[in-house]
Amino acid sequence: MTALSDSETAPRGGPVPDSAFLKQLVAVIRAEDSHGTWDGKPDTELLAEFIVTPEERRAIPIICDPEPEVLWRMARFHDAVGLMIERRTGCTAAQMDKFHHEGFGRVVLISGRLVVVSRHLRDVHRWGFPTWVRLAEAGAALVDEAVALIERFPEAARA
Amino acid sequence: MTALSDSETAPRGGPVPDSAFLKQLVAVIRAEDSHGTWDGKPDTELLAEFIVTPEERRAIPIICDPEPEVLWRMARFHDAVGLMIERRTGCTAAQMDKFHHEGFGRVVLISGRLVVVSRHLRDVHRWGFPTWVRLAEAGAALVDEAVALIERFPEAARA
């Protein structure tokens, strides 16, 4: 496995780790690009908005409603988590979310009758990760938790 | 237990059964009436829009987006289901839904890590029940299914 393309030249968010989750996230985003508009874009540029440095974070107001773009990125992030869960367990994971327009709410991934990922989030206006390492770790941790839960309740996950 | 108020004079939708689910649904709706505007309304008038006769059903177009009122009624219906599940099992059931604007989608009720109710619906523009009996039975059936599922997966429901 190789690192993401152009990883040497991405100083914002620190070093880009060699991560299966980041590769899955890139694949999810490129799958949305039906006209090939982003073919020339390096992976790190495609994922650049997932990085929100502490300075950037402070600059984002939480008074208005969250931007549709941040909700779109959150959905792609959880799509990638769901696909990795499926690859490791064979269980598809369907995403549902419910957000108040003020930016708090819940995201779940459901396999069969089991809620394999359940997250309550707030201030989603500012959703993002300070570093590439944190982004990669956050995705991988959710996948690991979900796989453990499916192993604990295999019958419910396949009900 | 007594029947709903004014049940004798409600010919549309047929006879009104003495149903714990219908009473729970009335209580959910009255709880939304913080200013007492509906205090003088009989129960059957309050629930009248849950009845959609076959003739009315045919007259509702499914070309436009579903009315917000029908989505509101569906949410109250599932609130009532959730409250009865909680009364019978002690497990609270949180509602989430995801609808395409064209009127199809999914509603779930979640207790702990268990999806106790999972419904895929379409043409929700026309959502409703031809008779009071069918409305009462539909709610009670969902509660029964959920309770059975919680008994089957008690650990996941309390996880």
Side-chain angles (χ1 to χ4, degrees), chain B residues 136-159:
Chain B
E137 285 174 354
L142 288 173
V143 174
D144 287 344
E145 280 172 45
V147 171
L149 207 71
I150 290 170
E151 285 166 358
R152 186 172 160 208
F153 300 116
E155 249 198 297
R158 286 167 180 88

Side-chain angles (χ1 to χ4, degrees), chain A residues 64-137:
Chain A
C64 313
D65 294 357
E67 299 288 336
E69 289 80 4
V70 74
L71 299 175
W72 183 86
R73 281 195 296 277
M74 279 181 47
R76 299 297 78 73
F77 174 87
H78 293 103
D79 282 348
V81 170
L83 286 166
M84 290 192 72
I85 293 168
E86 182 174 1
R87 197 178 303 164
R88 280 179 53 187
T89 64
C91 297
T92 56
Q95 185 174 161
M96 293 182 82
D97 59 60
K98 185 178 186 175
F99 279 97
H100 191 275
H101 74 95
E102 283 179 12
F104 56 89
R106 186 179 187 189
V107 181
V108 295
L109 292 178
I110 296 173
S111 293
R113 289 300 197 128
L114 191 65
V115 179
V116 296
V117 168
S118 173
R119 309 184 71 199
H120 292 271
L121 299 167
R122 60 186 177 82
D123 297 346
V124 296
H125 316 64
R126 293 172 166 176
W127 187 83
F129 299 85
T131 65
W132 294 95
V133 169
R134 290 278 289 277
L135 168 60
E137 285 175 351

Side-chain angles (χ1 to χ4, degrees), chain B residues 1-2 10 32 34 40 44 47 59 61 76-77 88 115 126 133 135 138 141 156:
Chain B
M1 226 188 271
T2 58
E32 299 266 327
S34 32
T44 48
L47 299 190
R76 299 297 78 74
F77 174 87
R88 281 180 51 188
V115 179
R126 295 172 165 178
V133 168
L135 169 59

Side-chain angles (χ1 to χ4, degrees), chain B residues 102-124:
Chain B
E102 283 179 12
F104 56 88
R106 185 179 188 188
V107 181
V108 295
L109 292 178
I110 296 173
S111 293
R113 288 302 196 127
L114 190 65
V115 179
V116 296
V117 168
S118 173
R119 309 184 70 200
H120 292 271
L121 300 166
R122 59 186 176 82
D123 297 346
V124 296

Side-chain angles (χ1 to χ4, degrees), chain B residues 8-88:
Chain B
E8 298 82 4
T9 60
R12 189 166 145 277
V16 180
D18 187 8
S19 145
F21 179 75
L22 289 182
K23 288 189 186 76
Q24 180 67 73
L25 187 55
V26 167
V28 164
I29 306 247
R30 292 212 183 269
E32 299 266 327
D33 180 30
S34 32
H35 298 290
T37 321
W38 301 333
D39 279 356
K41 273 200 190 188
D43 295 340
T44 48
E45 195 180 322
L46 217 56
L47 299 190
E49 300 302 312
F50 286 83
I51 302 297
V52 179
T53 66
E55 299 73 42
E56 289 166 356
R57 197 180 150 77
R58 275 192 293 274
I60 301 171
I62 55 167
I63 313 171
C64 314
D65 293 359
E67 299 288 336
E69 288 80 4
V70 74
L71 299 175
W72 184 86
R73 281 195 296 277
M74 279 181 45
R76 299 297 78 74
F77 174 87
H78 293 104
D79 282 347
V81 170
L83 286 166
M84 291 192 71
I85 293 167
E86 183 175 359
R87 197 178 301 164
R88 281 180 51 188

Side-chain angles (χ1 to χ4, degrees), chain B residues 89-113:
Chain B
T89 63
C91 297
T92 57
Q95 185 174 160
M96 292 182 81
D97 59 61
K98 184 178 186 175
F99 279 97
H100 192 274
H101 73 97
E102 283 179 12
F104 56 88
R106 185 179 188 188
V107 181
V108 295
L109 292 178
I110 296 173
S111 293
R113 288 302 196 127

